[in-house]
Amino acid sequence: MVDFARVQKELQECNKDIDVSGISIKLKGDSNSLTHLTGTIPGPLATPYEGGNFNIDIVLPDGYPFEPPRMQFATKVWHPNISSQSGAICLDILKDQWSPALTLKTALLSVQALLSAPEPDDPQDAVVAQQYLRDYQTFAATARYWTETFARTSTLGIEDKVKKLVEMGFPEALVRSTLESVGGDENMALEKLCSG
Amino acid sequence: MLDSEASGVAAVATSSVKSAMVTDSTTNASIPMAASNSKDFAKKKRVNRSAKLKQCKLDARREQWLSQVKNKGGFGDSSGHPPCSESHSSMENLEVKPRVEKEGGSIYHHYSDSDSASNSPTSHTSSVSGSSNVSGTIFTGSGGSSSSSGGSCSGSITGEDEDDDGCLDDWEAVADALAVTNVKQEQDKLSFDNRRVVPSVSPPELKPEERVEGNVQKGPPNCRAWKPDDAFRPQTLPNLAKQLSFPMKSGRQYGCAWGCKNVVSVPSTCPICCEDLDYTDSRFLPCSCGFRLCLFCHKRILEDDGRCPGCRKQYDYEPIKGEATIDGGSLTFKLGRSCSMIIRS
């Protein structure tokens, strides 16, 4: 049984200093369950992930906090220790090195640190790890591109995005439906519009 | 000796100054006790200022006293007080005093009294002596010569120069005695002296003198006002000040430090389950790293992997036994010790 009192306190504590840490935890989507959460971490500065906001799906097992939370990137990331396909994270504290003294916030902070300090010798995604070791420049470019493509959240509001895409020559109704289908991501919508 | 004498002289100077100050204030103030006490503090400040000047005077006095001793020989110490140059009348008064005081007290007190009359400087003894002096003056006053009593009182202020010698000797002895004796005892003595003085003052005979000379009144109020102050003043006062000041400071510091330590070291809630730690939990320290948690979470962790959440080390199993079954734990410990003993032997 999940310790909801602790989870509730953790959410309050984490969202209290969201301006400082940039890390936020919210209930995931539609469900009101405290066991399914979504965490958001900003890409660390001076890394290919700078400027991106990465969403992480969090599922709390029944044994939480005595068992580690299950975390997975919902945003596509190009990183040696993060599966480019599933978003699975290879991080010891989320597995055998978990401690009940850790919290969701500290775990997310560790994930953020992992973004800035990859461990290619213990890879989750072998392809990315090989690229990281053999051709760092390409790796960095790819990671930056993925960040721009998938993790970049425009500061524009939904109306501004619609206006911008309409100015490109797309019909407004199609732009709105496309934006909704991709979750409001401007680049994704443009990609889809161009391909479709 | 020189240093000790010098310090003694300084102490005497301050005390004598204080005595002079007290007399002045009392003359102005009349009898009220509280007023005299409050004034004593102000007087002390004044005393510090004039202390240097007093030292010079004391040096001169001591020279005078030495010369007198040479002239008068042994006369100074035994009957010693007489060295007063003022007059035989004062001598007569002194002689009367011993008789009177012998009834109430010991001869030793007389010496101290005479010394105090002249020297008032010594703290406890001075207060005692001051009281005795007053009584002496009173009796002398009853004897008839109001002028003589007035002379003795004024002599305490101005005539100190001649009498100081005895004071110095007594002062050193007194200082040694004071160091040994408890302050409380001294205070008790002082209180007794005061009691003696009070009745002596009450007699109607004194009243005319008091009216004639404010000095006479100075004695009793001085004694009362002084005794607390005197007892504290030369040696005990600094000690008391230290006792008062240091504990206050240290208490505050330690209090803050302890408070902070308590807050830091003992969390109010379990970091694992966020429940409040009760008394048992707050005393429960399962790991050497200092990480605290409630007993429930500890048990839950032991059922799992048994590692401390704070340092990830394996918990020792001894505390578990101790918790679960104390008897079993103690038995196992005893066995372990005996085994180790055997192995060692």
Side-chain angles (χ1 to χ4, degrees):
Chain A
M1 192 61 184
V2 178
D3 188 345
F4 291 111
R6 164 163 164 155
V7 175
Q8 208 125 28
K9 191 174 180 181
E10 278 193 47
L11 294 182
Q12 292 177 356
E13 291 291 326
C14 180
N15 293 330
K16 191 183 295 180
D17 58 353
I18 188 172
D19 295 335
V20 177
S21 64
I23 294 175
S24 65
I25 303 173
K26 297 172 184 172
L27 298 181
K28 182 181 180 181
D30 303 333
S31 69
N32 289 324
S33 170
L34 275 174
T35 59
H36 290 75
L37 308 171
T38 297
T40 303
I41 59 173
L45 301 180
T47 67
Y49 311 100
E50 179 178 354
N53 279 301
F54 300 89
N55 294 326
I56 298 174
D57 279 343
I58 302 171
V59 176
L60 300 181
D62 287 345
Y64 184 85
F66 300 100
E67 296 177 21
R70 288 194 286 271
M71 290 190 177
Q72 201 168 20
F73 267 87
T75 305
K76 293 175 76 69
V77 183
W78 191 254
H79 188 280
N81 303 109
I82 299 166
S83 170
S84 59
Q85 300 301 314
S86 66
I89 305 170
C90 178
L91 186 60
D92 58 352
I93 66 155
L94 295 178
K95 296 171 182 173
D96 60 324
Q97 289 302 310
W98 169 257
S99 162
L102 295 173
T103 64
L104 294 176
K105 184 189 174 187
T106 56
L108 289 175
L109 277 171
S110 298
V111 172
Q112 190 184 30
L114 180 66
L115 288 179
S116 61
E119 288 287 348
D121 295 333
D122 185 19
Q124 177 74 26
D125 192 309
V127 176
V128 180
Q130 281 207 340
Q131 188 188 44
Y132 181 91
L133 292 173
R134 294 179 180 176
D135 187 357
Y136 179 80
Q137 294 302 324
T138 305
F139 160 82
T142 306
R144 195 172 299 115
Y145 174 76
W146 278 49
T147 302
E148 292 293 328
T149 302
F150 304 113
R152 192 81 176 188
T153 53
S154 171
T155 56
L156 300 175
I158 188 70
E159 290 303 320
D160 293 322
K161 293 175 184 173
V162 171
K163 185 180 177 183
K164 191 175 178 181
L165 290 174
V166 168
E167 286 176 353
M168 292 180 180
F170 299 104
E172 181 175 345
L174 182 61
V175 167
R176 288 189 180 279
S177 62
T178 308
L179 273 174
E180 284 184 16
S181 66
V182 297
D185 190 298
E186 184 181 351
N187 293 322
M188 295 273 286
L190 180 58
E191 211 171 296
K192 195 167 185 178
L193 286 171
C194 292
S195 64
Chain B
M1 289 300 292
L2 294 177
D3 295 339
S4 63
E5 289 178 356
S7 62
V9 170
V12 171
T14 56
S15 61
S16 64
V17 171
K18 288 181 180 178
S19 65
M21 294 299 292
V22 172
T23 56
D24 295 342
S25 65
T26 53
T27 56
N28 295 333
S30 75
I31 301 173
M33 295 300 291
S36 64
N37 289 334
S38 63
K39 289 179 180 178
D40 290 341
F41 293 102
K43 295 165 188 175
K44 292 175 182 177
K45 294 180 181 178
R46 297 175 185 174
V47 172
N48 291 331
R49 294 175 184 174
S50 60
K52 295 180 180 178
L53 296 175
K54 296 295 180 183
Q55 286 182 349
C56 296
K57 291 182 178 179
L58 288 174
D59 293 339
R61 293 172 186 173
R62 186 171 186 181
E63 292 177 357
Q64 292 178 353
W65 176 77
L66 291 173
S67 63
Q68 291 176 355
V69 172
K70 292 177 181 177
N71 295 331
K72 294 179 180 180
F75 177 78
D77 293 339
S78 62
S79 61
H81 329 290
C84 296
S85 62
E86 293 179 352
S87 65
H88 298 284
S89 63
S90 63
M91 293 296 292
E92 294 175 354
N93 292 334
L94 293 174
E95 291 176 355
V96 172
K97 292 176 184 177
R99 295 175 184 175
V100 175
E101 290 178 355
K102 285 177 182 176
E103 295 175 355
S106 64
I107 298 169
Y108 177 81
H109 288 288
H110 299 291
Y111 293 103
S112 64
D113 293 347
S114 63
D115 294 339
S116 64
S118 62
N119 295 330
S120 59
T122 57
S123 63
H124 307 282
T125 57
S126 66
S127 64
V128 174
S129 64
S131 63
S132 65
N133 290 335
V134 172
S135 63
T137 57
I138 292 166
F139 290 104
T140 58
S142 64
S145 63
S146 63
S147 63
S148 65
S149 65
S152 64
C153 292
S154 63
S156 65
I157 299 172
T158 59
E160 292 174 356
D161 301 345
E162 296 126 6
D163 293 340
D164 283 341
D165 332 342
C167 297
L168 291 176
D169 294 341
D170 290 343
W171 184 89
E172 293 177 353
V174 170
D176 296 340
L178 289 177
V180 177
T181 58
N182 293 334
V183 176
K184 293 180 180 179
Q185 295 177 349
E186 295 173 354
Q187 291 177 347
D188 293 340
K189 293 178 180 177
L190 294 175
S191 63
F192 288 107
D193 294 337
N194 290 333
R195 293 174 185 174
R196 295 177 183 173
V197 173
V198 173
S200 66
V201 174
S202 60
E205 299 174 351
L206 297 177
K207 291 181 180 178
E209 293 179 352
E210 292 177 356
R211 292 175 186 176
V212 174
E213 296 177 356
N215 295 335
V216 175
Q217 286 182 344
K218 299 172 186 177
N222 289 343
C223 294
R224 291 180 184 177
W226 263 67
K227 292 177 181 177
D229 291 342
D230 286 348
F232 301 65
R233 195 197 289 163
Q235 293 179 343
T236 57
L237 173 66
N239 292 335
L240 289 176
K242 290 178 182 177
Q243 289 177 351
L244 291 176
S245 64
F246 285 110
M248 292 293 288
K249 294 177 181 177
S250 64
R252 290 175 184 172
Q253 293 174 350
Y254 288 121
C256 293
W258 289 336
C260 294
K261 287 180 180 177
N262 289 334
V263 171
V264 173
S265 63
V266 181
S268 60
T269 60
C270 173
I272 308 302
C273 63
C274 300
E275 297 291 334
D276 290 340
L277 292 177
D278 61 16
Y279 180 74
T280 309
D281 293 331
S282 62
R283 297 290 295 272
F284 179 50
L285 191 59
C287 184
S288 60
C289 73
F291 186 85
R292 293 176 182 273
L293 72 172
C294 70
L295 291 168
F296 293 101
C297 292
H298 181 250
K299 180 174 180 295
R300 176 72 165 77
I301 290 172
L302 290 178
E303 291 174 352
D304 237 348
D305 57 359
R307 290 184 305 169
C308 171
C311 62
R312 293 199 180 92
K313 288 179 185 174
Q314 284 290 331
Y315 275 133
D316 295 332
Y317 283 90
E318 294 178 358
I320 312 165
K321 294 176 181 177
E323 292 176 359
T325 57
I326 297 173
D327 295 339
S330 62
L331 289 175
T332 56
F333 288 132
K334 289 179 180 177
L335 289 175
R337 290 178 183 174
S338 62
C339 292
S340 64
M341 291 293 289
I342 293 169
I343 292 169
R344 290 177 184 174
S345 62

